[in-house]
Amino acid sequence: MDHTFYDYFRCPESTVDFRLTGNLSQGLGYFRFGEDVTCYGQSCVGDRARKYDSPLCDISSAVKFGEHIVELPFDPDDVATNLRCESYAGHMGEHKTKLPPNRLFRGIYYLARPHMSVRFRRILQQISLRGQTTKSFPHWPVDRTVDRMFESLMTLAIQSRNNEPVPFIWFWPDGAQAALILTHDVEAEGGKKFCSTLMDLDDEFGFKSSFQVIPEKRYEVTGAFLDEFRKRGFEINVHDLNHDGNLFCSREEFMRRAKRINRFAQEFGSSGFRSGALYRNLRWYDAFQFSYDMSVPNVAHLDPQDGGCCTIMPYFVGNLLEIPVTVTQDYSLFNILNSYSTDLWKEQLKLILDGHGLISIIVHPDYIVEEKARNTYRQLLGMLAELRRSSEIWATVPLEINNWWRMRRELKLVRQGEDWVIKGQGKERARIAYAQIVDGRLAYAFAPVPARQGTFKSIDSHLGAPLTSNVALGPNPRGTAVLEAGEQAQVEMSAPRQIALSASSAASPAVLPSPARKPLRICMIAYSFYETDNRVMRYAETLAQRGDHVDVLALRRDNAPTVDVLGGVHIFRLQGRKIDEKTRFTYLWRIMSFLVRAMYQVSKQHLHQRYDLIHVHSVPDFLVFAALVPKLMGTPVILDIHDILPEFYTSKFGAGPKSFSFRLLQGVEKSSAKFSSHVIIANHIWQQRLVSRSVQAEKCSVIMNSPDRSIFYGNGNPRPAKDRFLLLYPGSINRHQGLDLAIRAFGRISDRVPQADFCIYGSGPSQKTLSTLIQELHLENRVFIRNPMPLREIAKVIESADLGIVPKRKDTFGNEAFSTKILEFMAMGVPVIVSDTQIDRYYFDDSVVKFFRGGDEEDLARCLLELIEHPEKRKQLAAEATQFVEKMDWTAKKHEYLNLVDELVPNDK
C-alpha cells in the first residue's frame, strides 16, 4: 500500500511503514482525507458516497501512529490508481469505453467535421460542455488531489519519525523548480502547412517542442515532412491513427488499430503517443509499444471524455509513462471559453509551479494560423521564457521527461557514513531534497532547515489542520547535509533559492511579469569535441539555462550523431578528426575543411533565422571568419582565445619565434581580433601579451577556465579505503603537457609504491610515443592510457582519484597556458602536483598545490613519493584547495560572460 508513495518521492524505503487500521470495505466510493483531498476507493471506516458532490466523510481522524509506523484507514495505492486512471469516472470498461456522445452521433460528427466551419463546431461544443468548469471535482482549473494526498502522507511520515526530516530525490534534474513541455497536435492539412512557421516561433523564444502527427487519412505524411522536424531538433510522436473518434470504441477495434499504430511508431522513430480528442482507456494501453503517452488531462472538464488524472506529475501505468496534459488546450481556450486572454494560462502556470509539477501544453498549428490566436501564443511563449529564466524551470521535450522519470525511478538513496548519497545511473543530475515540518508546515529544502529560519512561501498540504507545504531550496546542490534523529538542525541558509509560490486552490492568480528581453539565438563555433570541451560546454549550457537558444558547430568523435541535443544545447557535428597531425599541412588542411563547413552552416542558418551573436572559439584564430556573413549583416562576433596561437604553433611544430610562420600567425591573430567585436582571453598573462601586439585593451576581457560546479563537486566524504592508489591525468596528449616526464618519474618510484597506478585519459599526437615509452620502461601493468570521456563522466573518474598531476613543460607555450584540470581536481577534493610554470605560480601558491621544478623528472618523482606515502599531506592540500577553488567557481564568474553578451546584443534585438 506504500508503493506509489515511495515511487512519488523516491525516499529511503525505511522511511515509514504504512499499514491499514482494519479491513477495507467491499464497495467503492468518495470520501475525504483532510480538508480538500477527495479520495475514491475503499476505506476501513466511515461511509463512502456515490457522488463527489455529496457530503463526504472525512476519515483523517482515524490515523494512528507508531515509531516509524502510520496506520491509515485507506490504501493510498488504491486511491492513487483510481484517480490517476480515472476509475471514478466510469468510462473505462474491460471491453468497451463509454465515450460521450454516443457512437452514432460521433460518427456523424467526424464524417461532417471536414465540412464544418470552426465557428459551427464551436457552437456545438459550447452547448455540449456548458457548465463543466463549475464542477467541484476534479478541481478546476488545476487539480492536485493525488499530489496533496502524497504531501499529507509525507507529513504523517515525518511526524512518525519524531519530526526528523525525510530525504528524497528531488522531482526534476539539476534542482529545477518545475518542468515544461510544449506539444503540437497536427490535425489537418492547414496545420501541416503551418508547422514550419510554428517551429520558427518556438525557436524564436528558445524552445523545442514535440509534434504529434496523424499517420492516416488526414494528410500525407512524407519522409521529407518528418525530416524537417528532426533536422531542426524537434520531436515527432504518433497522434491517433486517423483521428476519427473510434480508436477506443471497443477493445477489438482498439487492438486492430494498435498494431498499425505501433508500426507507424517504428516508421516515425517515435517513443510517444497521443490519442485524438484525448479519448482514452488506460486499461488497454499494454497493447502499445510506446515508452510514454500524453492523452490524459489533469482536468477534463473541457474535453469530450470527462474525468482527469488529478495530478501534475508524470506517473507509470504498468511500464508506460503517462505524461498528463496540465494546461488548457488552445482550442478550448479560443473556441469553447471564447477567450484570447492569457489569464487562465497564467493561473494554471502559477498553480503548477507551486506544486513543482509539469507544465504540459497543447497548441495546435491548425488553430494559431490567424493573427489573433498567434499573438496569444506569442504572449504565452514570452511568459514561459521569463519563467524559465526567473524560476529555474526545466524546458525540454517529452522524450527527455520520459528518460528522466525512468532514470529517477531507478535511483536510490543510501547511507554513506553520516550522509545520504544517490546511487544509480543519472545520479549526477539528481539532487537530494529534504521534507520536513517548519513552523507547523511541510517544507522541502536542499538541506535541512531549522524552524523559523529562511523565507518560505506556501503550497498547501491539507490534513486536518492546514499544513502548508513551503518549499525553499537552499544553496546546496549536492544535498549531502543530513539531520540526525533527535538533533536540532544547525544549517545556515544564506539567501536561500526559493522554488515555490502560494499554491492554495483559493489563491488569486499571479500576474507574471513581462519578459525584459526575449531569448537570444546564439551560435558557437569550435574546432573541438563539444562533449569533452569544458570551456565551450560551460558557456553554451549557461546560456541555454537562462533561456537562450544555442547552436554549437563542432567536431564529431567516432560514431557520435551528426545532430544532437545535450543539456538544452543543439550540437551540429560537422566533421570527424583524429588528433594525430604530424605535419603542418595535415593540421592546416583539416582546419580549413572545418572552416569552410562552418562558414556554410552558420551562413545558411543565419539566413534562415538570424543569430543575435556568434561566439567563435580559437584555436585557430582565423576560424572567426566563418562568421563573415552574420558579421556583414550586423551580428556581433566574439573571438574566444583558448590557446594563444603563435606560441601554440611553436610548441606543436617546433617553429621559432623569429620564423616566417610565427610572424604570419601574429598577423592572423591581429586580423582576427580586428574582425571581432570583442576578444575573450583565457588568462591575464596572455591578455597582457595580446594587448601589447594585437588588440585594444578595452576590447579584450579575461574569462578563465573555471570549473562548472554542477559537474565538478566533491561530496566532502572521507575517501574510502581501497587496494590501489590512483594517480590521474585527464586531458590532451601533447608534448607540452609533459606526460613523458610524468611516466619516467613514476617509473623511478614504481618499485617503492607497488600499490599505485597511473591512468591517463585522453588522446593526441603524442599518444603513440607515450605508449612506446611505457613499454620501454616495462610499465604496461602500472601505467594505462585510456580513451577520452565526456566531461560529466570524467568528473566521476576524478572523484575516484587519490592524486592528480599536471606536469606541463616550461617552454614558451606550456609556461603560460593555464590548465583547468588543476581547478577541477581542487573542486573534487583531489590534491594535485603541478609544474612550477609562470602561469601556475601566478595563480597558485604552495598551500593549495604541490609544485615541482618543471622539466625535472627527478624532482617530480620526489614529490610523487612524498604525497603517496603521506596521506595527511594530501588531506591538508585538498582542504586548502577546496577553499581556494570556491573563489574560482563558474557560478560566481558566469555573470561576467552574461553581462558581456547582453552588452554586445542591444535590448531591442
Side-chain angles (χ1 to χ4, degrees), residues 30-31 43 45-49 56-57 59:
Y30 292 94
F31 55 89
S43 65
V45 298
D47 296 326
R48 291 153 303 284
L56 301 183
C57 177
I59 64 173

Side-chain angles (χ1 to χ4, degrees), residues 621-676:
D621 300 338
F622 58 79
L623 194 59
V624 76
F625 294 106
L628 178 63
V629 171
K631 174 72 172 177
L632 291 175
M633 295 177 66
T635 297
V637 178
I638 292 175
L639 172 61
D640 194 324
I641 299 178
H642 298 199
D643 294 318
I644 200 162
L645 187 57
E647 285 75 8
F648 176 78
Y649 182 87
T650 299
S651 172
K652 190 174 183 70
F653 296 112
K658 296 183 179 180
S659 66
F660 170 76
S661 54
F662 186 89
R663 285 182 279 118
L664 177 63
L665 289 175
Q666 282 186 318
V668 170
E669 178 184 87
K670 189 171 185 177
S671 300
S672 301
K674 185 176 182 180
F675 175 84
S676 306

Side-chain angles (χ1 to χ4, degrees), residues 234-289:
F234 289 80
E235 186 179 320
I236 307 167
N237 290 310
V238 178
H239 188 28
D240 209 275
L241 180 64
N242 54 34
H243 209 306
D244 67 353
N246 290 319
L247 176 60
F248 291 96
C249 62
S250 71
R251 182 171 177 82
E252 181 181 1
E253 178 66 13
F254 173 80
M255 296 300 291
R256 185 181 68 82
R257 295 190 182 199
K259 292 180 181 179
R260 289 155 65 189
I261 290 171
N262 289 334
R263 286 199 297 269
F264 281 114
Q266 293 180 348
E267 181 181 327
F268 291 0
S270 299
S271 299
F273 176 79
R274 176 175 286 146
S275 60
L278 302 187
Y279 287 132
R280 57 205 179 274
N281 188 331
L282 273 65
R283 290 188 176 195
W284 302 347
Y285 272 29
D286 55 358
F288 281 146
Q289 296 173 1

Side-chain angles (χ1 to χ4, degrees), residues 5 119 263 282 401 427 470 479 516 528 554 568 621 631 690 692 763 778 809 818 836 848 892:
F5 172 82
R119 182 179 180 183
R263 286 199 297 269
L282 273 65
I401 296 290
K427 65 179 182 180
N470 300 311
S528 65
D621 300 338
K631 174 72 172 177
L690 205 63
S692 70
S763 61
H778 306 292
R809 280 186 162 83
F818 183 78
D836 63 344
V848 294

Side-chain angles (χ1 to χ4, degrees), residues 814-833:
N815 200 39
E816 301 171 350
F818 183 78
S819 175
T820 322
K821 291 181 286 290
I822 300 173
L823 295 177
E824 291 169 353
F825 280 123
M826 290 179 173
M828 300 298 289
V830 178
V832 58
I833 295 178

Side-chain angles (χ1 to χ4, degrees), residues 468-479:
T468 305
S469 171
N470 300 311
V471 182
L473 293 185
N476 177 13
R478 289 163 282 179

Side-chain angles (χ1 to χ4, degrees), residues 9 151 154-159 161-168 432-453 456 459 461 467-474 481-484 487-491 493:
F9 280 109
E151 290 165 4
M154 177 58 81
T155 301
L156 294 173
I158 295 169
Q159 291 172 343
R161 297 165 58 88
N162 195 26
N163 289 339
E164 177 189 1
V166 174
F168 68 97
I432 299 176
Y434 291 83
Q436 53 203 312
I437 297 175
V438 178
D439 290 336
R441 301 166 180 258
L442 179 64
Y444 299 152
F446 280 150
V449 183
R452 300 179 182 84
Q453 184 172 341
F456 297 91
I459 69 169
S461 174
L467 285 173
T468 305
S469 171
N470 300 311
V471 182
L473 293 185
V482 66
L483 184 65
E484 292 293 314
E487 294 180 353
Q488 290 295 317
Q490 299 296 328
V491 180
M493 294 214 19

